[in-house]
């Protein structure tokens, strides 16, 4: 113990490794202290080549009186993938500011891609040190595939929550980071990916619905949520635990398996009924399709795609109850477990019976279902399986506002007898966040690339999705090619910045849009203003370099690229040194 303790102290003194803390404090030139994100917070859990970064933020180290400080905790869905500029946190900023312009809201997007509740637990403990008023916890999608999950590619599965706790303590230490680096150096972690491969990395890590390891996952999830809630409550924050919305109506399972023990004759019966269901479905004969798929399910009730098609046909033929149930069951049977299943959401909802003061469950999954066609969440709120489009982010943020408003009044930040607020509508939110045709076009292009790769490429309904997104991409190109579009874009960004002058993200996005549309001279000042607030945002630095390059200033471009390379050596599009 003494030797290990001495090693740990020595490594820290010599600056080895990275702090696992979510934030650090920095001082501006005028001496003002600011809280910033720690770009290395996930280093204990990911190899350097695939490390996941938090969203940049800056809040005063000294919290001003009357300020409401909110942290949105979770993974990629909470963060706002594929574009965090239009995340739950950003939409909440607009809704709350428009309702209460006299209140200063500091909303930190603490979501990070690919993490799960095990990592969020540590982040929550760190955020609890920053005088929070509210924790919004939106987590559940990565419990199986995230660190220590049974379907992960990042770390070994451990059989008990106690073992995970011990492993987390080791990984967060400098000694643990040294051991991990040594293992990488000598090739002892060959199962770990050498590059970020997106969701396709998990194709060989399917987990069946009856896998006993899922029980450990659910137990660990419950413990983590309780610890996250306790961290917030101990700091005086109200904690909103949110159930997780998933696309079940228009998102087929990623991967299905037949149940064990089916002989050739049974498989032939299943195939005949399944094919007959597909034929009836193609002909628009939904009731007949439901009957055929039900016959296939009678042979194999573990095949996720069969249950999905059965549920879909039942919905279309008017059998809402069975259709909704089977679409949920299809998600639960999906072998690639990227979505929060019914048992994980049940764990979240179970906290609703808790008597802990300051803890509230917000059933966002049920609320999203209730305002969706056929009362099953689909493409109207989500881009794909779990990530919100701007309509979905607005829906979730709006559904959180009632609980937030109640807390504001309880704390006296808003007068208890103040009139009920009128919440801004989606059109105003889109204007305030500058959700322009350029931003939409970039999101469509990112999603089109995503849908062209595994595991999406293997889904039954992916080709129809690709056709739809290719059309959207072509439409965006036509809109952005109109001569008047540059004027319209400039007006949209100018109006958004005028309404939110302290929003560095708006300036960055506007600058990036201008550079990408051939207006580098107009974009560069905005990018430099964004960099004055957040000097180490890789996207800003890349756009600054591109702007200088477009203007023929090679030296300035090289300087910006060098700064970016020091931050992110693997940033896409970096020129060779």
């Amino acid at each position: 113990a003494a030797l290990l303790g001495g090693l740990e102290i020595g490594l820290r003194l010599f600056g080895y490794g990275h702090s696992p803390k979510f934030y650090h404090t920095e001082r501006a030139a005028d001496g003002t202290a600011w809280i910033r994100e720690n770009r290395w917070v996930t280093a204990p859990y990911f190899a350097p080549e695939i490390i996941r970064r938090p969203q940049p933020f800056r809040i005063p180290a000294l919290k001003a009186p009357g300020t409401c400080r909110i942290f949105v905790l979770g993974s990629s869905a909470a963060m706002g993938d594929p574009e965090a500029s239009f995340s739950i946190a950003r939409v909440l900023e607009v809704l709350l500011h428009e309702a209460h312009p006299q209140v200063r809201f500091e909303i930190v997007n603490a979501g990070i891609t690919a993490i799960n509740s095990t990592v969020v637990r540590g982040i929550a403990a760190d955020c609890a040190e920053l005088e929070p008023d509210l924790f919004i916890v939106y987590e559940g999608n990565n419990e199986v595939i995230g660190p220590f999950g049974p379907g992960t590619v990042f770390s070994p599965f451990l059989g008990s929550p106690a073992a995970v706790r011990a492993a987390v303590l080791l990984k967060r230490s400098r000694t643990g980071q040294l051991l991990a680096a040594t293992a990488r150096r000598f090739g002892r972690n060959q199962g770990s990916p050498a590059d970020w491969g997106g969701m396709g990395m998990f194709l060989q890590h399917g987990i069946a619905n009856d896998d006993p390891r899922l029980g450990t996952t659910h137990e660990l999830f419950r413990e983590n949520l309780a610890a996250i809630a306790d961290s917030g409550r101990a700091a005086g924050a109200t904690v909103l635990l949110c159930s997780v919305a998933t696309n079940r109506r228009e998102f087929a399972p990623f991967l299905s398996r037949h149940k064990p023990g089916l002989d050739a004759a049974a498989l032939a019966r299943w195939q005949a009924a399944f094919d007959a269901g597909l034929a009836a479905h193609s002909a628009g004969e939904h009731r007949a399709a439901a009957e055929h798929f039900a016959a296939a399910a009678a042979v194999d009730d573990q095949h996720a795609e069969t249950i999905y098609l059965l549920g879909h046909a039942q919905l279309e033929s008017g059998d809402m109850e069975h259709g909704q149930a089977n679409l949920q069951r299809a998600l639960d049977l999906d072998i690639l477990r990227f979505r929060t299943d019914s048992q994980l959401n049940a764990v979240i909802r179970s906290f609703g019976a808790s008597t802990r003061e300051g803890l509230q469950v917000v059933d966002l999954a049920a609320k999203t279902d209730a305002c969706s066609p056929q009362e099953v969440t689909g493409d109207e709120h989500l881009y794909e399986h779990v990530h919100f489009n701007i309509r979905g982010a607005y829906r979730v943020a709006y559904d959180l506002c009632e609980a937030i408003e109640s807390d504001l009044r309880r704390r006296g930040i808003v007068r208890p007898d103040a009139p009920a607020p009128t919440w801004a509508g989606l059109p105003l939110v889109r204007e305030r966040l500058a959700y322009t045709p350029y931003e939409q076009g970039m999101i469509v292009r990112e999603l089109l690339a995503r849908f062209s790769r595994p595991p999406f490429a293997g889904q039954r309904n992916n080709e129809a999705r690709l056709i739809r997104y290719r059309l959207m991409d072509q439409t965006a190109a036509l809109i952005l090619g109109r001569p008047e579009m540059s004027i319209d874009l400039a007006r949209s960004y100018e109006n958004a910045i005028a309404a939110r002058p302290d929003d560095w993200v708006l300036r960055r996005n506007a600058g990036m849009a201008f550079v990408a549309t051939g207006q580098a001279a107009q974009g560069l000042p905005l990018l430099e203003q964004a960099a004055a607030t957040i000097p180490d945002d890789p996207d800003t630095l890349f756009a600054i370099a591109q702007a200088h390059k477009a203007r023929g200033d090679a030296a300035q471009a090289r300087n910006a690229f060098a700064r970016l390379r020091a931050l992110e050596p693997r940033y896409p599009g970096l020129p060779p040194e």
Side-chain angles (χ1 to χ4, degrees):
L3 286 172
L4 288 174
L7 176 60
E8 180 69 17
I9 292 171
L11 291 172
R12 288 172 182 254
L13 288 176
F14 283 96
Y16 179 83
H18 302 287
S19 167
K21 211 169 187 64
F22 178 65
Y23 68 91
H24 69 275
T25 304
E26 65 180 24
R27 290 195 176 273
D30 62 1
T32 304
W34 296 93
I35 301 296
R36 288 289 315 279
E37 81 286 353
N38 171 20
R39 302 183 71 251
W40 297 96
V41 60
T42 67
Y45 305 98
F46 300 96
E49 297 83 4
I50 60 172
I51 191 169
R52 302 290 88 194
R53 307 290 190 193
Q55 289 299 299
F57 72 90
R58 189 180 80 159
I59 57 175
L62 182 62
K63 182 182 174 184
T67 297
C68 181
R69 188 170 281 181
I70 300 173
F71 293 86
V72 179
L73 298 154
S75 48
S76 58
M79 187 199 77
D81 184 82
E83 179 46 67
S85 301
F86 311 106
S87 62
I88 297 169
R90 297 274 295 165
V91 175
L92 270 177
E93 285 179 3
V94 175
L95 291 176
L96 293 173
H97 176 75
E98 293 293 326
H100 302 294
Q102 79 283 3
V103 178
R104 176 177 176 82
F105 291 98
E106 295 172 353
I107 304 181
V108 175
N109 184 348
I112 305 175
T113 57
I115 67 171
N116 57 15
S117 64
T118 295
V119 184
V120 173
R121 179 175 180 166
I123 293 172
D126 294 337
C127 292
E129 301 171 357
L130 302 177
E131 301 180 81
D133 294 295
L134 196 70
F135 276 6
I136 296 171
V137 185
Y138 188 82
E139 182 54 76
N141 291 320
N142 292 346
E143 295 309 302
V144 174
I145 65 167
F148 304 109
T152 190
V153 298
F154 306 124
S155 55
F157 171 74
L158 298 176
S160 73
V164 172
R165 298 277 74 77
V168 167
L169 286 175
L170 177 61
K171 281 183 170 289
R172 287 170 63 91
S173 69
R174 301 301 201 277
T175 304
Q177 293 179 46
L178 175 62
L179 292 173
T182 304
R184 285 193 297 272
R185 182 180 180 88
F186 291 99
R188 297 299 180 88
N189 62 335
Q190 296 177 358
S192 180
D195 201 358
W196 183 256
M199 292 168 62
M201 294 187 295
F202 302 92
L203 286 173
Q204 305 305 316
H205 292 258
I207 302 292
N209 190 48
D210 58 356
D211 192 307
R213 292 175 294 177
L214 291 178
T216 302
T217 300
H218 298 147
E219 182 184 355
L220 179 61
F221 185 52
R222 185 183 301 278
E223 288 193 12
N224 287 337
L225 289 184
I228 291 165
D230 288 346
S231 291
R233 291 170 57 249
T238 297
V239 179
L240 304 182
L241 291 183
C242 306
S243 61
V244 178
T246 54
N247 190 338
R248 298 166 340 271
R249 193 183 70 249
E250 290 160 320
F251 202 85
F254 282 112
L255 184 62
S256 303
R257 284 182 187 164
H258 288 294
K259 69 179 181 182
L262 292 180
D263 58 22
L267 284 172
R269 291 196 305 275
W270 171 85
Q271 189 70 61
F274 187 82
D275 290 345
L278 290 178
H281 177 74
S282 298
E285 299 170 355
H286 302 299
R287 193 175 300 278
E291 292 173 356
H292 291 302
F293 288 129
V299 178
D300 185 354
D301 62 354
Q302 301 296 306
H303 192 261
E305 189 174 23
T306 299
I307 305 302
Y308 171 77
L309 291 170
L310 171 59
H312 215 279
Q314 288 169 328
L315 277 189
E316 294 301 323
S317 59
D319 187 355
M320 298 282 286
E321 180 181 355
H322 290 100
Q324 292 165 357
N326 279 319
L327 290 178
Q328 179 62 60
R329 177 162 169 74
L331 183 154
D332 292 343
L333 291 170
D334 193 348
I335 298 300
L336 293 182
R337 312 190 76 81
F338 292 112
R339 293 177 285 181
T340 302
D341 63 29
S342 58
Q343 293 188 61
L344 289 168
N345 262 334
V347 170
I348 298 168
R349 292 177 176 125
S350 71
F351 283 87
S354 172
T355 58
R356 298 173 181 173
E357 185 178 353
L359 174 61
Q360 180 179 343
V361 171
V362 183
D363 199 344
L364 293 179
K367 290 177 181 290
T368 308
D369 280 345
C371 61
S372 299
Q374 300 167 310
E375 297 184 12
V376 184
T377 299
D379 288 348
E380 66 284 338
H381 291 116
L382 300 167
Y383 284 122
E384 10 78 330
H385 57 309
V386 295
H387 298 118
F388 291 113
N389 56 33
I390 194 166
R391 187 182 297 106
Y394 175 82
R395 179 75 253 172
V396 166
Y398 179 88
D399 286 335
L400 288 166
C401 280
E402 180 180 355
I404 296 173
E405 179 70 15
S406 176
D407 196 61
L408 291 173
R409 292 169 185 257
R410 183 184 65 81
R411 295 177 183 276
I413 296 175
V414 173
R415 290 193 347 264
D417 60 346
T422 300
W423 302 108
L426 178 57
L428 181 61
V429 170
R430 291 164 64 110
E431 290 177 17
R432 292 289 188 263
L433 297 181
Y435 186 66
T436 65
Y438 172 80
E439 307 293 347
Q440 296 172 57
M442 293 302 99
I443 291 171
V444 166
R445 190 154 295 179
E446 162 62 27
L447 290 169
L448 189 55
R450 182 176 300 184
F451 296 148
S452 300
R453 300 189 297 264
F456 298 96
Q459 283 184 291
R460 174 170 295 278
N461 55 355
N462 190 57
E463 187 56 39
R465 185 188 297 121
L466 283 172
I467 291 171
R468 187 168 73 253
Y469 269 80
R470 286 173 186 141
L471 179 60
M472 292 164 66
D473 185 41
Q474 294 167 6
T475 303
L478 289 173
I479 292 172
L480 291 171
R482 288 164 29 202
E484 66 273 19
M485 181 48 60
S486 60
I487 297 173
D488 292 343
L489 281 177
R491 185 182 301 112
S492 295
Y493 288 117
E494 287 168 5
N495 290 341
I497 291 170
R500 294 165 57 81
D502 296 330
D503 189 342
W504 74 274
V505 174
L506 284 177
R507 296 178 187 276
R508 179 199 65 186
N509 289 358
M512 291 171 64
F514 287 132
V515 172
T517 55
Q519 303 170 80
Q522 193 169 351
L524 184 57
L526 292 165
L527 293 166
E528 290 173 336
Q529 290 166 18
T533 302
I534 304 290
D536 53 1
D537 174 55
D539 294 336
T540 305
L541 291 175
F542 185 77
I544 287 174
Q546 294 288 75
H548 284 305
K549 183 178 178 181
R551 300 183 69 196
D553 193 337
Q556 291 280 30
R558 282 196 303 272
N559 180 55
F561 278 131
R563 290 164 58 197
L564 173 58
R565 189 175 288 107
L567 277 174
E568 291 287 350
R570 302 164 71 90
Y571 191 90
L574 262 178
E577 293 186 76

